[in-house]
Amino acid sequence: MFEPKTEIPQFGEWVPVNTYVDRPVVYAIGLNARGKLLITKARGCYALPGGGVEADETLQEALVREVLEETGWAIEIVREICKANQWTYSSRKDTHFNKQATFYLVRVIKRMGRPIEPDHEARWMSHAKAVSRLRRDFHRYALGRCARKGWYRKIVPLD
């Protein structure tokens, strides 16, 4: 019997002396009408908009909340793209994490205002520029999956 491959790609460097906390996270891949990707910039680093899932939320609820907080944009979820994990360290929390990410293709619906997170700003970038600037390997992996599958064409920007 055929069994589909279910292994989730793992990025980053695992250091055996560190204790890692598993952290479910979600990220959005969305385009505007000119084909530019919605990216967030915080503390000099570029990332896909998204973040941690709270105990009382679904993955989809967390994604909608995180994108609004980090970019000021409302979104509509189109589909799940992939899962990928990355070993990271948070200096703000002084904690090592294994970020267990689910990436979603989204429609960017409407600008609701400025980002709620004071150190975040929304940016729009081409696919190539985003891939060259994104800090995390698993973000670049998800963009590559989306591009290879042709899923960018499935987004109907409404802005």
Side-chain angles (χ1 to χ4, degrees):
M1 176 181 209
F2 173 78
E3 290 191 31
K5 185 177 179 184
T6 59
E7 186 175 314
I8 296 173
Q10 180 74 53
F11 296 91
E13 183 181 350
W14 179 73
V15 180
V17 297
N18 296 332
T19 301
Y20 291 87
V21 176
D22 288 340
R23 179 73 168 123
V25 293
V26 290
Y27 295 101
I29 296 177
L31 302 172
N32 67 11
R34 291 177 296 190
K36 301 288 185 180
L37 288 160
L38 180 60
I39 303 294
T40 186
K41 182 180 180 187
R43 299 175 293 285
C45 296
Y46 294 92
L48 293 174
V53 179
E54 302 299 331
D56 63 340
E57 318 181 277
T58 65
L59 296 177
Q60 296 81 9
E61 290 168 341
L63 185 65
V64 169
R65 176 186 53 77
E66 284 284 349
V67 172
L68 183 61
E69 288 176 358
E70 292 185 358
T71 69
W73 285 87
I75 61 165
E76 175 186 328
I77 297 171
V78 175
R79 67 168 296 151
E80 182 179 316
I81 295 170
C82 64
K83 294 182 184 296
N85 300 339
Q86 182 147 359
W87 307 112
T88 65
Y89 173 72
S90 170
S91 57
R92 287 187 315 149
K93 296 182 180 183
D94 191 26
T95 303
H96 294 271
F97 290 103
N98 182 27
K99 290 191 173 182
Q100 301 171 320
T102 304
F103 294 88
Y104 289 92
L105 186 66
V106 304
R107 286 189 185 95
V108 180
I109 303 293
K110 182 179 179 184
R111 177 79 189 242
M112 304 303 288
R114 298 189 53 76
I116 296 166
E117 297 283 340
D119 57 351
H120 286 66
E121 58 183 275
R123 296 285 181 97
W124 296 97
M125 292 183 188
S126 68
H127 174 89
K129 189 173 185 179
V131 167
S132 74
R133 292 204 174 170
L134 288 172
R135 178 179 184 194
R136 301 282 184 209
D137 293 334
F138 68 158
H139 288 194
R140 291 189 293 275
Y141 168 80
L143 284 183
R145 290 270 311 209
C146 196
R148 280 191 304 280
K149 298 278 189 179
W151 287 333
Y152 286 148
R153 292 187 306 271
K154 294 183 187 284
I155 303 174
V156 180
L158 302 174
D159 65 337

